[in-house]
């Protein structure tokens, strides 16, 4: 009875007006509204497409942050799971012509199931062993994508257009037919995925994951089903990553296996460490670093391939002096500014 009352109290405090309308949430909501209204106008056509890709990649980055920051798991196959979500979206889309929103739901469910099934053998692994296993799985997905190819509107189960048959791109959603509208569409879907992950982190699964990160033996002693909660985490992360793959398929209408190399998963994991693996802000920064930094370097006359050198240096800096990443440093700076303003106000 006491536990039930405590759980109800926890839910009440989570949804209390003070928490929902906190300064951080209001700032995020204002930024989102401004981006939706003025983003495409300020960015222009080229950077609108770049920022669309950044928002899409922020979703698997949030999944990596959940696994690493809350469970201490190093998973190096998120970009491959994006490919799975994209494959499902294209295949079902070409075969059935369902609404794009329903395709995203199917991609989330399908990728969630595949992610859990693939992750089952790795449930007892952690650290370097898990990193190697997931990297090998990403390599296996890369081979499968290369051999089978992605559906491109052709006939048959795989939907491959061969020979002189014209490839048919997947139509975009009705609400996002143009680049500016698709940018807004992706931004809203990304925000919904972030909210889903944030709710998991703030509720019972998040508390269980935190306990497991501190001590798996202690979590077991406290009655936490570690296997069940690990499966839960894999399902949530895989499903949201599948949605990102669907958005990527909708962006171009076609997908290429070269976009889902195992090395891309390593690159995305590195950007999450630099951006900050312990917050969703870090995931958003990681999305920009992985997709926005190379064209930004090119725009100022620097070879975009130098991103590997820059990320290598960033990794060293993050691992040695800034374990919370750029997001942690920004949050620390905001706290210092707030304290300074508060002191001046009192004096």
């Amino acid at each position: 009875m006491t536990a039930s009352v405590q759980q109800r109290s926890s839910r009440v405090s989570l949804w209390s007006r003070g928490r929902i309308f906190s300064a951080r949430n209001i700032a995020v909501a204002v930024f989102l509204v401004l981006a939706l209204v003025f983003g495409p106008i300020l960015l222009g056509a080229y950077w609108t497409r770049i920022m669309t890709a950044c928002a899409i990649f922020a979703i698997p980055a949030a999944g990596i942050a959940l696994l690493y920051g809350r469970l201490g798991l190093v998973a190096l196959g998120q970009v491959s799971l994006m490919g799975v979500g994209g494959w499902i979206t294209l295949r079902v889309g070409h075969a059935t012509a369902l609404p794009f929103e329903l395709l995203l739901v199917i991609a989330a469910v399908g990728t969630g199931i595949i992610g859990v099934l693939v992750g089952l053998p790795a449930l007892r692994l952690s650290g370097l062993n898990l990193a190697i296993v997931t990297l090998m799985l990403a390599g296996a997905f890369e081979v499968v994508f290369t051999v089978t190819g992605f559906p491109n509107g052709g006939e048959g189960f795989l939907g491959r257009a061969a020979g002189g048959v014209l490839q048919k791109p997947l139509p975009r959603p009705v609400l996002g037919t143009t680049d500016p509208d698709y940018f807004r569409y992706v931004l809203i879907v990304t925000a919904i995925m972030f909210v889903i992950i944030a709710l998991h982190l703030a509720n019972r699964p998040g508390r269980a994951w935190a306990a497991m990160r501190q001590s798996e033996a202690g979590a077991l002693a406290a009655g936490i089903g570690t296997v069940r909660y690990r499966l839960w985490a894999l399902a949530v992360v895989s499903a949201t990553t599948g949605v990102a793959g669907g958005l990527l398929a909708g962006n171009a209408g076609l997908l290429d296996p070269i976009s889902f190399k195992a090395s891309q998963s390593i690159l995305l994991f590195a950007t999450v460490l630099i951006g900050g693996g312990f917050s969703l802000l870090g995931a958003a920064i990681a999305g920009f670093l992985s997709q926005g930094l190379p064209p930004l370097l090119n725009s100022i006359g620097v070879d975009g391939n130098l991103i590997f050198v820059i990320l290598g240096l960033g990794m060293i800096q993050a691992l040695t002096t800034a374990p919370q990443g750029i997001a942690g440093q920004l949050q620390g700076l905001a706290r210092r500014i707030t304290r300074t303003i508060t002191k001046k106000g009192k004096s």
Side-chain angles (χ1 to χ4, degrees):
M1 181 66 180
T2 304
S4 176
V5 171
Q6 288 175 343
Q7 289 170 1
R8 285 199 298 270
S9 300
S10 174
R11 285 193 290 270
V12 168
S13 64
L14 176 66
W15 293 104
S16 64
R17 181 175 297 179
R19 295 199 63 169
I20 294 176
F21 295 101
S22 65
R24 183 189 63 179
N25 291 347
I26 292 174
V28 171
V30 170
F31 174 79
L32 183 61
V33 170
L34 291 176
L36 289 172
V37 176
F38 301 108
I41 300 172
L42 298 175
L43 292 171
Y46 175 72
W47 281 101
T48 294
R49 288 194 293 272
I50 297 295
M51 294 310 293
T52 300
C54 293
I56 292 174
F57 273 78
I59 299 175
I64 293 174
L66 188 156
L67 293 177
Y68 178 75
R70 191 53 70 99
L71 278 164
L73 301 178
V74 179
L76 299 178
Q78 293 308 107
V79 173
S80 298
L81 283 178
M82 283 184 72
V84 173
W87 195 95
I88 294 174
T89 303
L90 288 174
R91 175 84 290 278
V92 179
H94 286 309
T96 65
L98 289 171
F100 190 78
E101 291 74 19
L102 195 52
L103 296 180
L104 291 183
V105 174
I106 295 172
V109 174
T111 311
I113 294 173
I114 292 175
V116 170
L117 292 177
V118 170
L120 278 176
L123 277 179
R124 298 294 181 184
L125 302 177
S126 61
L128 182 60
N129 292 335
L130 178 62
I132 293 175
V133 169
T134 53
L135 184 59
M136 296 301 290
L137 290 172
F141 275 117
E142 180 182 335
V143 172
V144 172
F145 291 148
T146 304
V147 171
T148 63
F150 280 90
N152 57 12
E155 299 293 334
F157 178 75
L158 293 177
R160 296 291 301 164
V165 179
L166 185 64
Q167 296 186 359
K168 178 185 175 185
L170 182 75
R172 281 183 173 180
V174 176
L175 297 176
T177 53
T178 64
D179 283 346
D181 287 344
Y182 195 70
F183 167 77
R184 297 184 178 98
Y185 187 92
V186 167
L187 213 56
I188 292 172
V189 175
T190 301
I192 293 172
M193 296 300 107
F194 271 42
V195 168
I196 290 174
I197 292 176
L199 288 176
H200 276 82
L201 292 173
N203 275 296
R204 182 180 296 177
R207 294 192 291 273
W209 295 332
M212 291 164 60
R213 180 182 173 86
Q214 289 182 349
S215 170
E216 191 139 345
L220 280 170
I224 296 174
T226 56
V227 173
R228 177 162 58 92
Y229 277 106
R230 272 199 177 194
L231 284 175
W232 195 331
L234 283 175
V236 171
V237 170
S238 301
T240 53
T241 303
V243 171
L247 291 173
L248 205 60
N251 189 31
L254 300 169
L255 290 177
D256 194 314
I258 199 172
S259 303
F260 303 97
K261 289 186 173 181
S263 58
Q264 293 298 317
S265 292
I266 300 175
L267 180 67
L268 186 60
F269 184 84
T271 59
V272 170
L273 289 187
I274 297 170
F278 298 91
S279 69
L280 294 177
L281 174 60
I285 295 172
F288 174 76
L289 291 177
S290 66
Q291 300 299 310
L293 187 56
L296 180 63
L297 292 174
N298 287 328
S299 68
I300 58 176
V302 179
D303 189 345
N305 291 320
L306 285 175
I307 184 176
F308 292 101
V309 178
I310 294 172
L311 292 183
L313 296 173
M315 280 279 291
I316 295 173
Q317 194 265 344
L319 294 175
T320 55
T321 62
Q324 302 289 327
I326 297 173
Q329 292 176 315
L330 291 175
Q331 290 165 347
L333 177 63
R335 283 194 294 270
R336 286 195 292 274
I337 292 174
T338 303
R339 280 198 297 268
T340 303
I341 294 174
T342 304
K343 286 180 181 177
K344 287 185 177 179
K346 289 180 179 177
S347 61

